[in-house]
């Protein structure tokens, strides 16, 4: 079983904000594959199903971003999922809007959601799909990440969201993350 976690902040106030990129990607993945988020467990909204013959657990933490690890660790333990079978979908300030990058491991890079997961899981060796949200030019980072995509950025973001879902589905189908990195990075 693979556990795929989309990062974001809970509440309608944060719907469609840049920082909820992980939620938007995982929602698209769920929709494409007919998986419903229909269960709450360990501070997370979850849906389970099959993608290309692989059982998957889709997770949206119901904590705020900087506490995401509180939801991830108990689910790992309950479902007996190893860190190498976890994929985290996150936003990335250091990439242009819609750019997608897959990583096998790494530091938090200043991302508080990833920082929390590393702290709770006890390792940084879990897979990530990063989707670019760009860096603010004239506003604070907080205002930027909690803001929404502009009409100009929206098509770029949607293309990146779709590419991220394609990459996740390819990884599941091939069970080869390095192959997915080579194809989608």
């Amino acid at each position: 079983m693979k556990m795929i976690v989309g990062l974001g902040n809970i509440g309608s106030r944060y719907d469609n904000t840049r920082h909820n990129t992980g939620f938007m990607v995982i929602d698209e993945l769920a929709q494409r594959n007919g998986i419903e988020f229909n269960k709450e467990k360990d501070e997370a909204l979850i849906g389970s199903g099959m993608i290309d013959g692989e059982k998957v657990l889709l997770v949206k933490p119901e904590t705020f971003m900087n506490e995401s690890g509180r939801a991830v660790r108990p689910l790992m333990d309950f479902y007996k999922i190893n860190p190498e079978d976890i994929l985290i979908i996150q936003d990335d300030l250091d990439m242009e809007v819609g750019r997608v990058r897959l990583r096998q491991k790494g530091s938090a890079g200043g991302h508080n959601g990833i920082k929390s997961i590393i702290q709770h899981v006890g390792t940084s060796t879990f897979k990530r799909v990063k989707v670019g949200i760009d860096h603010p030019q004239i506003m604070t980072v907080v205002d930027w990440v909690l803001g929404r995509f502009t009409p100009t950025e929206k098509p770029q973001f949607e293309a990146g969201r779709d590419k991220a879902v394609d990459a996740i589905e390819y990884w599941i189908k091939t069970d080869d993350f390095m192959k997915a990195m080579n194809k989608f990075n």
Side-chain angles (χ1 to χ4, degrees), residues 58-74:
L58 305 184
V59 177
K60 295 195 311 189
E62 292 188 309
T63 61
F64 283 99
M65 178 70 78
N66 62 351
E67 292 292 334
S68 297
R70 275 190 6 224
V72 171
R73 183 62 204 219

Side-chain angles (χ1 to χ4, degrees), residues 11 60 88 97 109 126 133 179 182:
K60 295 195 311 189
I88 308 294
V97 173
F126 49 83
I133 62 168
K179 198 172 180 178
N182 289 336

Side-chain angles (χ1 to χ4, degrees), residues 140-159:
T140 67
V141 168
V142 171
D143 289 338
W144 180 258
V145 299
L146 297 180
R148 287 173 174 74
F149 293 104
T150 66
T152 305
E153 294 170 326
K154 196 167 167 101
Q156 293 170 278
F157 167 74
E158 289 171 349

Side-chain angles (χ1 to χ4, degrees), residues 77-96:
D77 293 342
F78 182 81
Y79 290 100
K80 297 177 178 40
I81 297 173
N82 295 319
E84 52 272 5
D85 290 320
I86 296 173
L87 180 130
I88 308 294
I89 307 164
Q90 68 175 96
D91 59 291
D92 192 306
L93 278 166
D94 296 324
M95 296 189 313
E96 64 196 34

Side-chain angles (χ1 to χ4, degrees), residues 12-143:
S12 58
R13 173 181 172 203
Y14 301 105
D15 286 350
N16 299 311
T17 60
R18 289 179 178 87
H19 221 20
N20 275 26
T21 290
F23 280 3
M24 292 183 275
V25 171
I26 205 165
D27 284 343
E28 180 67 19
L29 178 66
Q31 183 179 335
R32 275 196 204 178
N33 291 281
I35 298 172
E36 291 183 36
F37 290 94
N38 55 9
K39 185 176 179 183
E40 288 189 55
K41 181 166 181 49
D42 296 316
E43 298 186 271
L45 187 59
I46 61 176
S48 61
M50 302 292 283
I51 299 177
D52 277 313
E54 175 78 35
K55 186 162 177 68
V56 295
L57 184 70
L58 305 184
V59 177
K60 295 195 311 189
E62 292 188 309
T63 61
F64 283 99
M65 178 70 78
N66 62 351
E67 292 292 334
S68 297
R70 275 190 6 224
V72 171
R73 183 62 204 219
L75 290 171
M76 281 178 62
D77 293 342
F78 182 81
Y79 290 100
K80 297 177 178 40
I81 297 173
N82 295 319
E84 52 272 5
D85 290 320
I86 296 173
L87 180 130
I88 308 294
I89 307 164
Q90 68 175 96
D91 59 291
D92 192 306
L93 278 166
D94 296 324
M95 296 189 313
E96 64 196 34
V97 173
R99 182 160 181 236
V100 174
R101 184 167 174 88
L102 283 65
R103 300 289 305 246
Q104 284 193 307
K105 60 183 178 180
S107 71
H111 194 288
N112 290 330
I114 297 296
K115 224 179 269 187
S116 174
I117 293 169
I118 291 170
Q119 178 186 7
H120 284 85
V121 172
T123 183
S124 62
T125 55
F126 49 83
K127 296 164 181 65
R128 299 132 199 234
V129 172
K130 299 177 173 194
V131 180
I133 62 168
D134 216 344
H135 205 278
Q137 302 303 311
I138 56 172
M139 64 175 66
T140 67
V141 168
V142 171
D143 289 338

